[in-house]
């Protein structure tokens, strides 16, 4: 079994790969899973699935708000983007879904 899984690869495969790891018993009770970029990349199928598991009491999960890696939103000026500071920060919002299988 996998103790800690960090998912940060082909965004279209997050859910499919997690389901495959669950099916073969690699992800199970006691596994921690961190899925990066779920907000910026709009990985809604993965997030919806994890929330469904949480609603059934199979995982505990939380979304940690972050900014897109390698970006410094406080240093990107409105002149560079044509947007206000707040709009620029919204464009760079991201999140990491942290889940624990019960």
């Amino acid at each position: 079994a996998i103790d800690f899984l960090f998912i940060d690869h082909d965004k279209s495969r997050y859910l499919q790969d997690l389901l495959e790891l669950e099916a073969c018993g690699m992800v199970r009770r006691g596994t921690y899973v961190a899925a990066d970029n779920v907000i910026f990349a709009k990985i809604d199928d993965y997030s919806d699935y994890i929330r469904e598991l949480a609603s059934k009491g199979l995982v505990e999960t939380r979304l940690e708000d972050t900014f897109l890696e390698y970006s410094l939103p406080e240093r990107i000026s409105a002149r560079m983007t044509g947007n206000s500071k707040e709009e620029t920060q919204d464009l760079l919002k991201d999140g990491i879904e942290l889940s624990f299988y019960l």
Side-chain angles (χ1 to χ4, degrees):
I2 296 172
D3 293 324
F4 179 80
L5 176 64
F6 184 72
I7 303 174
D8 187 24
H9 65 301
D10 180 351
K11 308 311 182 204
S12 67
R13 294 196 50 97
Y14 274 34
L15 179 57
Q16 180 181 349
D17 290 347
L18 179 68
L19 292 172
E20 289 177 17
L21 290 169
E22 286 178 347
C24 70
M26 296 299 292
V27 170
R28 60 182 181 195
R29 172 183 260 182
T31 299
Y32 289 91
V33 178
D36 200 16
N37 306 121
V38 295
I39 300 297
F40 183 79
K42 298 180 177 135
I43 309 174
D44 297 329
D45 61 342
Y46 177 88
S47 296
D48 292 345
Y49 176 72
I50 290 296
R51 295 215 182 340
E52 180 183 332
L53 292 181
S55 73
K56 295 177 180 177
L58 300 174
V59 301
E60 290 179 353
T61 192
R62 74 178 193 275
L63 179 65
E64 289 292 323
D65 292 327
T66 62
F67 288 104
L68 189 63
E69 62 261 21
Y70 312 116
S71 68
L72 298 170
E74 66 279 0
R75 291 192 176 183
I76 297 176
S77 70
R79 233 177 23 167
M80 294 170 70
T81 64
N83 297 320
S84 70
K85 180 179 177 181
E86 292 77 21
E87 289 170 326
T88 299
Q89 287 182 344
D90 282 346
L91 291 172
L92 299 174
K93 279 188 180 177
D94 202 359
I96 185 167
E97 186 82 34
L98 304 170
S99 307
F100 178 69
Y101 280 70
L102 302 173

